[in-house]
Every structure is written in C-alpha cells, then in structure tokens.
Amino acid sequence: MLNISNSFKKPALIISVLLSVLLPVLAIYFSLLFKNIGISHEVQFYISRFAIWISLLLLFLYSLKIEKQPFLLWPETEYSFPDFAIALFKTFVKLFIAVYFTGLLIMLFKITGESAVLQKALALFKKSYILLFFTCVTAGITEELIFRGYLMPRLELLFKNKILAIIISSVLFGLLHIGYGTLLNVIGPIVIGLVFAIQYEKYRNIKILIICHFLWDLFLLMAKT
C-alpha cells in the first residue's frame, strides 16, 4: 500500500474520484437520450443498465492505462468457504438491522414519498423477471466494484482518513439514486452504502459485498413484484 500511496498524486486522486462518480451518473441518464424517439421504457431500462457496465469498463481502462494502478487497490483477502459464508451472513444481518432501524426512524420522523420512477421499474419487473435479475446482477457487481472497490480506497488515500472515506463514498452512493425522486430513495442507499463500506474495510473482499448486494436487491424486488 505504501508504494501505491507514494505513486498517487493528489490531482490524480481527485480526477479518479470525480470519474468514479460522473461515469455511473452519465450511464444512468444516458437512456434519456432515447426517450423521445419511440423506444419503449423497457428498452431504455436495458440501455441504462448496459451503460453502467460500460462505465465500469471505462473506469477499469482508466485505472490500467492512465493511473497505471490496480483497479482494486486493496488486494483481495482470501477466505475458506466456511469463513466466507460466515462473513456473508454477518454482512447480510448487519444490513438487515441497519435498514430496519432506519425504517423505524423514517416512520418516526414521518418521511414519506412514493417514487414514480421506482413504480415504473417495478411494473417492468413484473412483466420480465429476466430484466429484474439482470438489474440485480448489474447493481451488485458494478456498484460494489465502483463505489467500494475503486472509490473508497482512493478516498482513503486522498483524505488519509478511513472514516471520512467510508462516509463520503456512502453519501455519493446514496446521491447516485437521487433520480428516483424521493428522499427515501437516497437515505436507504446511504445506509446500505455505510454497511457495505464498513464491511469492505473489515474483510477486504469485494466478492462478499457483491453477493450480498445482489441477494438483497433480488429479495427486495421479488417481494415488491
């Protein structure tokens, strides 16, 4: 880590952080270009998901060709299957507890609001479980690789503060969901991002987070459709 830290200059880190946020945002809103040319909402949704994969690829190429650093600055810690399963279970339980108590606070402060964008997405998922599954896979892999695997270690190098890196990466992750149009759809991802960021700092294994994120989204969306 020392060599990596010394090879990064502050301007380069700032550019890396900006790209890790701007590329996914541009990918999400890329499908809006097709809104007024007769393409169905379902096809637009597929386009936006594929665009996120492209943003991940561009970020990977940037790390390889421009940064000349590994995409994942933190080497993956390997676990035996039982230890991996336990870590996955603990992460899922912590996520459930955090979301549950966040829900209680939201009820207490009477924060309400129904997302029309989310309702349209759920309507599409009811018609196509393939789209639902593809969405969960896309979110689990791309969001964890970008916001935890790529962004968080670089924030830690930039600010030289683990807690600040966890908080900023989680807030940025939450703001990525602002397109859903409600405060609830930002608060939830921030809390989820905090849990995943803390677990990544602890386990240094992105696969744990990818699987947990995928399963969480899959169970949640299946329950709503």
Side-chain angles (χ1 to χ4, degrees), residues 23-149:
L23 285 175
V25 169
L26 290 174
I28 289 173
Y29 292 101
F30 175 72
S31 63
L32 294 179
L33 297 175
F34 302 89
K35 187 174 181 180
N36 297 319
I37 59 175
I39 295 179
S40 69
H41 187 61
E42 182 177 357
V43 173
Q44 290 180 45
F45 204 91
Y46 270 113
I47 290 172
S48 69
R49 300 310 99 176
F50 280 116
I52 294 173
W53 283 100
I54 293 172
S55 73
L56 175 61
L57 175 61
L58 291 175
L59 204 56
F60 174 78
L61 292 174
Y62 176 80
S63 68
L64 188 68
K65 301 296 184 180
I66 307 300
E67 285 183 344
K68 299 188 184 302
Q69 298 290 348
F71 183 87
L72 300 177
L73 292 185
W74 296 344
E76 285 284 278
T77 302
E78 297 300 325
Y79 295 95
S80 65
F81 180 77
D83 288 339
F84 185 90
I86 290 171
L88 181 62
F89 176 76
K90 287 182 177 179
T91 301
F92 206 89
V93 169
K94 289 178 182 179
L95 180 59
F96 178 82
I97 292 172
V99 171
Y100 177 77
F101 280 104
T102 301
L104 291 180
L105 289 174
I106 287 172
M107 291 175 61
L108 179 64
F109 290 100
K110 298 180 180 179
I111 302 174
T112 58
E114 187 173 296
S115 169
V117 175
L118 181 58
Q119 292 305 313
K120 287 182 179 179
L122 290 174
L124 289 176
F125 297 151
K126 287 180 181 179
K127 298 177 182 178
S128 174
Y129 285 107
I130 294 176
L131 179 58
L132 186 154
F133 186 82
F134 180 59
T135 298
C136 294
V137 170
T138 298
I141 295 176
T142 63
E143 291 177 4
E144 291 311 313
L145 284 174
I146 293 174
F147 284 89
R148 258 63 69 179

